[in-house]
Amino acid sequence: MKKKIREIGKIRMIRMTKMTRMTMKADLQMTEASKKRFSYRAHLILPVLSIVLFISSAVVVAPQSYADALPTDIQGHWSETFVKSLVNQGVISGYPDGTFKPDKAISNVEFLSLTLKAMNETVQSVNMGETWDMPIMKRAFELGLVKMGEPMTNATSEITREQAAAILYRALQIKEGVRYDQCYTSILDQVIFDHDQIESAYRDSVYSMLQKGVFTGNDNHFDAKGLMTRGASCVVIERVIDKGKRANPTKTKNGFRVFVDLKIPVESEKSIQMPFENGNPIIDTEKVITELKQHENNVFTGSLYDYYYYDDFINLEWSGGRYVTYEAKKERVDSMINIGIEAMKVFYNYDYREDMKSYQKSLEWVSATNYPKKDRIENLIHSIQNNTLIMESQFITDKELFYNSSDGSKRLRGRLYFYFKSPSQKAEMFQTHFNDGVVNLKVDQWYYIDLEALVGDYGGHSGVEWEHSTPNYANNYYITDFIPVMPSN
């Protein structure tokens, strides 16, 4: 009986062994197939992603490497508030030993992972045969956060400040429609003393992120080649997530404020030639407007905030709630443009020798109601009465030349053609800012000057009780010198 049982057990063992071998063989076949599929997938992905498939276990952004509690080594660190915020939001975590290592450099893929989270972008799960970083890099390529040939495509390399700025600029292009305007470049060149160290490919990105307050300078230096740390990354990522956390873009960390000198015009030694008819220049309006659009905006503000052209400004949500609908805001903007045009007519196209009261009323109507303007008006009237000033002008502008400046002022750009004609005894152009200086020009000589007329609500600041319209005219900011215009025919 025992012998029979042993025989049956032997047969079962042989059968189980055969089954085990068959299973192992099937597993091996599946493994080989998986390897082939993985090899094929890697063959397709690697040329596109340009990253290393296998990453060292030292990479700390991998989900399995994180601890859940607040880190123990960030107290008193300059990035503490931002680190805590992102940890609490589940965007980033510390190490299993309870530390965060805020001063440790961060890799490209780590930074891209944080950026994708800040954009609320979904990253696919890791497929069999993939390392954890591959879906992150693939999604970053799909969105255009990184591009072929850039050093940020190397997943494990440490990322620099200028490279991080490029990624965040692209992220905010998608997230908020951010577009950098190069009119700010000349201003930012003054703010960032080491701007020549920024790679040309990253300059607009760096300047945009400075302008937006996502990045800041340190003692007016950006340190473009410096490595991003985990703490610094938390700061900029939090500012991408929350606009309220962004820095004041008009200053760097040490409070340096850039100011741009005003143009104080003089009579130019160079003249231009134009065709004349009946003693007046024939003006190509479209050409003039095209040239005016080529001037930099914010030339005199020194501010780094955004500005908005006519349509963009109207489409903004205005504060205060007084102007809500598009129609109401458009009517308001058009009235500011009209007051700028009227101001040019009043100030630079006059012959009021017989009706000075009407002229004074016109001046008060377009002018801001403050004491400097009151003195300027009185001086101009006195000059006209005593010197028999007669003037003729043409002001060329367009609604597309109106913009809301980064300092909040409303500006209407234009080109003023003018001349003082006989029997004028003097040809005096008053400066309309600062000390109201005077430029002496020639009688019976045409000139032009490009300027920006400031319009808006300027009454009520001084308590002067004049009847005036709102909005009204404040002053001119000059862009060019007084250019003599000579007949070409």
Side-chain angles (χ1 to χ4, degrees), residues 271-276 281 445-446 483-489:
S271 61
I272 65 163
Q273 290 189 333
M274 294 177 59
F276 270 56
Q445 168 66 62
W446 276 95
I483 313 295
V485 179
M486 309 299 293
S488 60
N489 49 351

Side-chain angles (χ1 to χ4, degrees), residues 33 90 104 240 294 348 428 433 454:
K104 178 179 172 60
V240 170
Q294 293 173 355
Y348 304 110
E428 298 178 335
H433 49 256
L454 269 65

Side-chain angles (χ1 to χ4, degrees), residues 236-302:
V236 295
I237 291 297
E238 176 78 344
R239 288 171 175 165
V240 170
I241 295 172
D242 185 353
K243 289 184 179 181
K245 300 289 181 65
R246 295 176 190 174
N248 182 349
T250 64
K251 60 179 71 174
T252 52
K253 188 176 180 181
N254 69 339
F256 178 85
R257 175 76 162 84
V258 58
F259 289 94
V260 180
D261 291 335
L262 289 167
K263 175 74 175 179
I264 307 299
V266 297
E267 182 178 4
S268 174
E269 295 179 357
K270 297 181 179 180
S271 61
I272 65 163
Q273 290 189 333
M274 294 177 59
F276 270 56
E277 185 176 67
N278 297 325
N280 297 331
I282 301 173
I283 300 170
D284 185 340
T285 302
E286 291 186 5
K287 180 181 177 183
V288 170
I289 291 173
T290 299
E291 292 175 357
L292 287 168
K293 287 181 177 179
Q294 293 173 355
H295 282 298
E296 291 181 344
N297 283 350
N298 289 336
V299 175
F300 307 115
T301 68

